[in-house]
């Protein structure tokens, strides 16, 4: 008879863009603990899923937040 072959593939979402803005000053942006750039600059391209963002600026308390990137870019 005729043989069939089955193939299973996992599709991953494309990365998404996250624009980080901070006031009153720009700061250093860390994504999942690694320096990724500066706030108030070009959007960050991040893999779809959950990420921990942290903004640090001189003479200001750091701000940390978890974001979920949809990954539709």
């Amino acid at each position: 008879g005729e043989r069939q072959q089955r193939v299973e593939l996992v599709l991953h979402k494309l990365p998404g863009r996250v624009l980080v803005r901070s006031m009153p000053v720009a700061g250093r942006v860390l994504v999942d603990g690694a320096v990724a750039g500066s706030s108030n600059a070009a959007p960050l391209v991040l893999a779809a899923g959950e990420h921990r963002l942290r903004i640090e600026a001189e003479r200001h308390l750091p701000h940390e937040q978890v974001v979920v990137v949809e990954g539709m870019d």
Side-chain angles (χ1 to χ4, degrees):
E2 198 175 302
R3 291 179 49 185
Q4 292 183 0
Q5 186 174 4
R6 182 178 177 167
V7 177
E8 291 187 27
L9 303 172
V10 177
L11 300 177
H12 298 280
K13 287 187 176 182
L14 292 170
R17 294 178 192 267
V18 176
L19 182 60
V20 180
R21 295 189 184 255
S22 62
M23 295 187 313
V25 297
R28 182 170 72 157
V29 177
L30 293 89
V31 177
D32 300 327
V35 176
S38 297
S39 61
N40 304 340
L44 303 173
V45 178
L46 301 178
E50 189 175 284
H51 296 280
R52 181 170 295 280
L53 297 183
R54 181 180 174 95
I55 300 174
E56 300 174 344
E58 208 172 291
R59 296 181 14 212
H60 292 80
L61 293 173
H63 177 79
E64 199 165 297
Q65 181 174 334
V66 173
V67 296
V68 177
V69 177
E70 290 297 322
M72 295 183 279
D73 198 22

